[in-house]
Amino acid sequence: MRALTISRLSVAFGRTARTQLRHPQSAAGTLLVAFFLILALFGPQLAPHSNPNDQSHDVRVPPTLDPGALQLGEHPFGTDRLGRDVYSRVILGAGSIFRIAGLGTLLSVILGSALGLFMGYQGGWVDELIGRVIDALLAIPALLLALVLIGIIRNLDFAAGSWQAALADNVILLVISLLYIPIVARVARSTTLDIKTREFVEAAQIRGESQFYIIFREILPSVIPSLVVEASLRFSYAIFLVASLGFLGFGARPPSPDWGLMVNENRGGFYQLTPWALEFPALAIAILVIAVNLMSDGIRRAVQKGS
Amino acid sequence: MLQFLRRRFLFFFFTYLVSSLTIFFLLRILPGDPARVIAGGREATEAQVAEIREALGLNASLPQQYVTWAADFIRGEWGDTIAFRGAMNRDLIMERSVNSARLALVALLMSAPLALALGVIAGLFENKLPDILISLLTLSVVSLPEFVTGLFLINIVALRWGRSELAASLGWWFPSSSAVPANASFAEMLPALWLPAFAATLVMLAYISRLTRAGVIEELKRDYVRTAALKGIPWRMVIWRHVLRNALLPTVTVIALSISWLVSGLVVIEYVFGFPGLGSLLIAAIERRDLLLVQAIAMVTVTVILFANLFADVAYALLNPRVELA
């Protein structure tokens, strides 16, 4: 069973790769996401200043990047009003957005699909009740809920080192998973409803397999394709949300090199002085959001074609 | 039909109940004392905290507090703000809601026709060049976070072009800033309105046009389209008379649904442009720890969204008698 699942998944992966290649825009998106992932993983090694808050006396230096001559210069993206190297800060900022959006997506997909599989397989009033509550919760806009939750939790003070303080430090991660659990659950549920009437599930039931076995070994493999599509979609929304929250001042706190925060810190009057300190992080956000969108569109197309 | 309406209204009240419970308990269930947060955190004295706890009725049991709070909300007694001294929450919210509604209206008037046109063109040319170009456009430029497009519009359109001679000859249409007094009239506000409205348009464009495209593609595959084409009816006529009429039916729903999309998108756009709407009020309220104001804004927002969704479903059911509640 496991060997079969792995071989089925590797076939699906090969098909995804091939479909991606046939649509150049999806392939380009995937490559760009991979590029940003490398930045996120090896940022401290790649950035000229591994400490994002290294200050030099050269404040407000314009970008030394020369694309024509392929030269980076000392401060490729210039320095901000405090003399910090914007190039290093942009590279180091990739880490936090990938960590929060990636872990948030992962957490919501795991918990949401477990909930959805259970709801779909169980059926009956349990399913009806949870389903209606999920529908009702989804009526509240995600950003509103995120802002309110983060705003409240941040204002509570906890003893340093307690579990509540650890929770408050990771509040964005938790809020993202909380927001997306119901959405993932809904997708997993509707696919499960479709799968559970198939013969192989009935066969397992007649064999007398446990409910746990049927849900995770029989149904889950068939639900995975739609979960992959949903996960890639959730990831693109999570990137978007993390960037927006950072910009609104509800994400990472200064002086961390968060892209959204950097954009917010350098707008208004500072934009006239150091436009590059706003433009490069904004460009990074723009490219990453588009790349993730193109990639998830490609994944969706590949999976739909395969089924 | 009657049964559909009954079930839909029942669901409306259930949703309202769940979301109001969520909004209420979010502020109660979390560890920490809301009275202390309002009083100013750790620096507040015990007496101040106790006074606020008394004033807010926090000494009553939780279900009792919820009922009091919900009844107060329905009666329109939303309390006084802490963040904006001297004002009542209701007046503040009403004034800002009107501004946000103006912004949303202008954005809808701009985006709906454009998005429908793009969606129909993309649907008619499925997987051909126009479709690919439109989907690239909706996946890229339009899918950027609101604050990126917003800042781009401010810096390029308002600051760079706004100082050119062309802009000077156009006069007041070119806003130098979108910061307007919150109680300005619609005409006074219009110059400051169209740039943030354009940013909101871009947000909705992708959403509406993709749904329209899907509707057109689905409709083109129907048997009656083939029958009409085989009967020798000119293709142009088939499209206009049959396909579009059926494919555009769901867009009533889409436009009403985009109101709930608009609500969250507007928060960021209002903040970027410094526009005095409900979204920027929400952020200010959260930053200043005005929990009662936050609750009231959240309730107003949810109310608008739930009514928009209800309207969408009922309108769709009236237009399409085959509908059944899924």
Side-chain angles (χ1 to χ4, degrees), chain B residues 203-248:
Chain B
V203 179
M204 285 186 296
L205 202 59
Y207 180 57
I208 303 181
S209 69
R210 300 196 106 197
L211 280 171
T212 311
R213 172 182 179 273
V216 171
I217 289 173
E218 194 184 321
E219 214 57 43
L220 278 175
K221 289 187 184 135
R222 297 281 164 105
D223 288 340
Y224 74 85
V225 176
R226 199 177 45 193
T227 312
L230 289 176
K231 273 200 310 198
I233 296 173
W235 187 237
R236 184 182 298 266
M237 201 104 112
V238 177
I239 299 290
W240 281 105
R241 283 271 177 84
H242 299 280
V243 175
L244 287 191
R245 185 174 292 185
N246 284 314
L248 294 187

Side-chain angles (χ1 to χ4, degrees), chain B residues 167-180:
Chain B
S169 65
L170 282 170
W172 63 272
W173 274 103
F174 252 98
S176 54
S177 133
S178 45
V180 283

